[in-house]
Every structure is written in C-alpha cells, then in structure tokens.
Amino acid sequence: MRAEAPIDGRGGAPAAPVETDTVPSSVGLDGEVNPPPGNDGIAIVLGTRPEIIKLAPVIELLGRRAHVVHTGQHFDAAMSDRVSLSMGTRRYRLRLDVGGKSRGGQLGMAVAALDRFFSGWRPRAVVVQGDTTSALAGALAANAGGHPLVHVEAGLRSFDRRMPEEHNRVLIDHLSDLCCAPTSISRDNLLAEGIATDRIAVTGNTVVEAVAKVLPDTAARAALQRAHAVKENQYVLVTLHRPENVDAADMLRTLLTELSRAPLPVLFVVHPRTRSSIVRFGLGPLLAPLRIADPLDYPEFLALASGAALLVSDSGGLQEEASILKRPILVVRQSTERPEIQGTFGALVPPGDRLGHTIRHWLSTAEQRRLRLAGLHCPFGDGHASHRIVEELRKLLHDSEDAAR
C-alpha cells in the first residue's frame, strides 16, 4: 500500500511508499476464524497506530505466546501497516476489517468476531492498550468469555465526558483484572474510583521504550530535516486529528489560519481524517503558507519532532513523546488525560483564534525553554515498563518466570 500524495501546499516531502508484508493467519468478520493451536497464549488486541507502537515492546517480550489481533480500525497504510513494519509487529493471528464504519458499528462487529475467536481458543489472558474502540472491543469480548483482562496504560482521566475515549478508558479499567498504570497520578485515579489496590500496578509507559528503539541517530535526523526543507530548532511541527478540531469547517478554518501566522516554518503532518475534512470543506488554499507532509513512519516522525522548536498537536501520545524528546508542546484541546506534562513540557490551548498568539509567545522564549526542558525528568518511566507488565501478567496467571517467556 502507498501513501497518498500531499494535499495542495508547499514544501513537505511525501513519505516514501513502503510495500508491507503483514501476514494474517485468519482474516474476516463473518464465518469461521481459525484459533491458534493449543491453549498456551496471550491475545493482544489492537487496531490503531498508537496501540501498535505501545504494545510492540510487550509483544516482543511475550514472543511466541503473543497472538496479535488487528481490528482494522486504522486501515490507512501509514497509520497501520507501515507502523507495524517499523515496530516489528508484522504478523497477525487474526485481522478484521472494521475501519471506516461508525464507532458503534466498529465496536459491535469487533466484539462479535473476537467472541467467536476466543470461544474457539480460550486465551490465557487478553491484553489491550489505551482508550480506543479496538481496546474496548477487546475488553468486552474478554469479559464476555471470562478471560483475564490486562489494560496497559490504565487510569488516564481527562474528566471530560465529551471525549468518547474517556468513556472507553473508564469502562476498560473497571472490567480489567490487571490495570497497568503508567504513573502515580493514573494509579490514584483508579483508587479514587474504587478499583482495588491488588488490581493495580504502576509500570511506567511503554512509549519510552518504543521511542528509544526507533529514534534515528543524529545523521539520519539531519537528513530527514533536509528532505522536508526544515532546519534544527527552526520550525514548528503540527498534527491535528480530533473531531472537535477538524470535523467542523469553521474551527478547522480558524486553526489553519492561526498556524499560518507562526513566525517560523510550519510542517503540518496531515492525518487522513484531517485530509478528508480539508477537501470536503474546500480549505486547501489555506495550506499554501504551510509545509505539508503525509502521515510519516514512526521513526521519521520522531526524528522531525526531536528537532522542532515547538510541537503543536491534539494528540495524546505526542504529549508523552514530547517529554521523552525534551521538546515543548502546545496541546490544542480543552482538556487532557496527561496532566503530568502540564506546566513543564506542555500547556493546554483551547481550540480557537488564540492559537497563533500562543505559538508566537512560546517561540519568543524557545531557546531558554529548550535548555530548561533538557534537564527535566520524563514523568512516564525509565524504559522498563514492558518488563514490569509481563511480570505482573505472570503473577496474575500464577506462571513460573520461565513459562511467561
């Protein structure tokens, strides 16, 4: 599969096309699905780019015991298959095709297919990550079948019920037998909701390991900057994809206009959802002052993020990555489930016509801010989260240390 060509705009180089070799063992939503042989295995349910990235270290540690199910929630090559290639998670035991459907349609179809799959196999446990529709489907299917459920990145709370993800993460946590909380703040959120202490483990976040594994070296980062016509510490890197920012023409028009007022070049990595909205609303001309890039392979994206003077995004994961890369980030949202970086690496900026002013203000002190951030500790752990998660899984299943490998 190949990346789409850039939308109108200047500068940005399209990501190189990559031919994938993702090999599913079983495919489909209807009819028979073939379970793995035997009963010694852990089901890993995922369906989006962040899940692939963050579960890759756990999958690697579990080795032959990991049986990965991809729901197809992200079906664009750059958001799924190419990420799997980057992270080494190319083989799926089962691949579904729920992408492009409504949220409820995705959930119902994925739960039904997973229920059939699990009923023919009975996995030792089911592991899900984060707050996606795929994660909720995995959790509901595990609960329906009586399979132990492990939630990686448990306990995140925005306390904003307008976010579908908030409902997902609360439901998954309360269904889970093991909640792997990335920080003490997320642990405290779980305790405040009455989840028992013995169901919670503070593990750190696996994104720290994922970044360390694939971040290109200095020479490669410099080459990528040249390819995208930007210079170290002299550009703003932007991603936007949340419905409240890109699904309404007036808001998307406002945000694109505000980005064009930045005093440094803006490299805008355009999510497929955002691309569709720009085309639908006829906003292509507003991209002319910006440098446009298609969704990037994860290592390439990290390389460009690590050299940006400022990150501007509504992404949850990029808030974490900013603290690992020691880069400042403006979070274009009303709320965040990652308060650990607020006031240090990042700040919330409500979507609207103040974005440009805030970008200019942060860039006016960019060098001092960069020096300060370089000495700050990343709040998401020490790079050993996956080992702690697998150890907690071993204890949950009462396995010997050797059997968990």
Side-chain angles (χ1 to χ4, degrees), residues 60 64 167 180 186 201 203 245 248 257 313-314 320 334 390:
E60 182 177 3
R64 62 177 180 81
H167 298 271
C180 296
S186 46
T203 60
N245 288 336
T257 302
S313 181
D314 54 14
E320 299 160 349
Q334 299 283 354
V390 171

Side-chain angles (χ1 to χ4, degrees), residues 236-308:
V236 178
L237 184 68
V238 176
T239 74
L240 296 170
H241 75 285
R242 295 191 59 79
E244 61 267 32
N245 288 336
V246 306
D247 281 6
D250 287 347
M251 178 57 72
L252 184 54
R253 181 183 297 107
T254 295
L255 294 177
L256 293 175
T257 302
E258 291 297 302
L259 290 174
S260 71
R261 294 171 176 163
L264 291 179
V266 172
L267 178 56
F268 184 19
V269 181
V270 184
H271 188 282
R273 181 187 194 120
T274 310
R275 172 187 292 278
S276 175
S277 292
I278 290 169
V279 172
R280 184 168 73 254
F281 301 140
L283 300 179
L286 294 179
L287 300 179
L290 312 177
R291 304 185 184 194
I292 305 304
D294 288 324
L296 304 169
D297 294 342
Y298 190 50
E300 185 176 359
F301 181 81
L302 290 176
L304 291 168
S306 70

Side-chain angles (χ1 to χ4, degrees), residues 49 52-57 60 81-90 206 209-211 213-214 298-299 302:
R49 175 180 170 121
I52 295 168
I53 290 166
K54 293 182 175 182
L55 285 172
E60 182 177 3
D81 290 340
R82 281 171 37 199
V83 182
S84 294
L85 285 168
S86 298
M87 302 307 298
T89 56
R90 295 179 296 182
T206 56
E209 298 158 77
V211 171
K213 178 179 179 179
V214 302
Y298 190 50
L302 290 176

Side-chain angles (χ1 to χ4, degrees), residues 121-142:
W121 169 32
R122 295 208 58 81
R124 298 287 310 283
V126 177
V127 177
V128 299
Q129 187 278 331
D131 51 26
T132 67
T133 301
S134 297
L136 180 57
L140 290 170

Side-chain angles (χ1 to χ4, degrees), residues 316-374:
L318 189 51
Q319 295 175 60
E320 299 160 349
E321 290 151 357
S323 73
I324 301 166
L325 300 172
K326 313 298 185 186
R327 293 284 148 167
I329 181 168
L330 294 177
V331 182
V332 189
R333 286 165 50 173
Q334 299 283 354
S335 61
T336 181
E337 62 286 349
R338 292 167 174 87
E340 291 88 349
I341 70 158
Q342 295 299 304
T344 52
F345 294 97
L348 283 173
V349 182
D353 59 9
R354 297 292 292 171
L355 177 60
H357 170 79
T358 309
I359 290 173
R360 292 190 295 275
H361 174 69
W362 275 53
L363 287 176
S364 70
T365 57
E367 186 174 357
Q368 303 95 301
R369 197 180 299 274
R370 190 162 57 249
L371 291 172
R372 181 172 60 85
L373 295 185

